[in-house]
Amino acid sequence: MKKVADFEELWTVVDNNGDIGLSDIDDKTLIPMWPKEAYIKSCLEGNWKNHIPFKITLDDFEETIIAFISENNYLINVFPVDEKTGFIVNLNEFIRDLNEELEWYE
């Protein structure tokens, strides 16, 4: 979260149509998030081999992505590496942790 707060952006992956590269675990759908583009490269294999990194500003996250995640009841896959799942949190946990980190910058 510190890197997200530092740069005021986070990253995901999208396909050629601009659709976010989702994954599933058990009966839940996950949206991947990384703090920097460089961390995504090891994940552009398998299901995401035809995807590219996509930057999300904190404003875009607040104005668009939060509703997208909430409406679809997605979980957030924080920092997946290679084809391994990262730390899975719900939207409320992610926002809480991000807001706690952003408080250091006020």
Side-chain angles (χ1 to χ4, degrees):
M1 288 299 177
K2 180 170 178 15
K3 293 285 186 202
V4 173
D6 283 346
F7 296 106
E8 297 186 4
E9 64 188 29
L10 24 108
W11 290 80
T12 193
V13 292
V14 296
D15 64 16
N16 294 335
N17 297 322
D19 295 327
I20 294 176
L22 303 172
S23 60
D24 295 308
I25 190 167
D26 297 327
D27 62 342
K28 300 293 182 183
T29 301
L30 312 174
I31 179 171
M33 295 283 176
W34 293 268
K36 292 183 70 174
E37 179 182 14
Y39 300 127
I40 297 173
K41 296 189 189 315
S42 73
C43 295
L44 297 179
E45 307 278 331
N47 292 338
W48 295 335
K49 68 182 175 187
N50 296 320
H51 289 69
I52 58 170
F54 182 79
K55 179 172 70 170
I56 302 168
T57 66
L58 289 185
D59 287 340
D60 291 339
F61 182 75
E62 185 177 340
E63 295 168 8
T64 307
I65 303 300
I66 287 175
F68 173 73
I69 293 170
S70 180
E71 289 166 6
N72 291 289
N73 199 31
Y74 292 151
L75 294 176
I76 300 172
N77 184 6
V78 179
F79 214 122
V81 177
D82 299 321
E83 291 191 38
K84 296 178 184 162
T85 302
F87 187 70
I88 299 172
V89 296
N90 67 37
L91 180 60
N92 291 334
E93 292 169 316
F94 188 86
I95 291 171
R96 180 200 64 214
D97 293 348
L98 179 58
N99 284 336
E100 285 177 6
E101 190 62 39
L102 288 169
E103 286 179 8
W104 290 99
Y105 293 81
E106 292 180 353

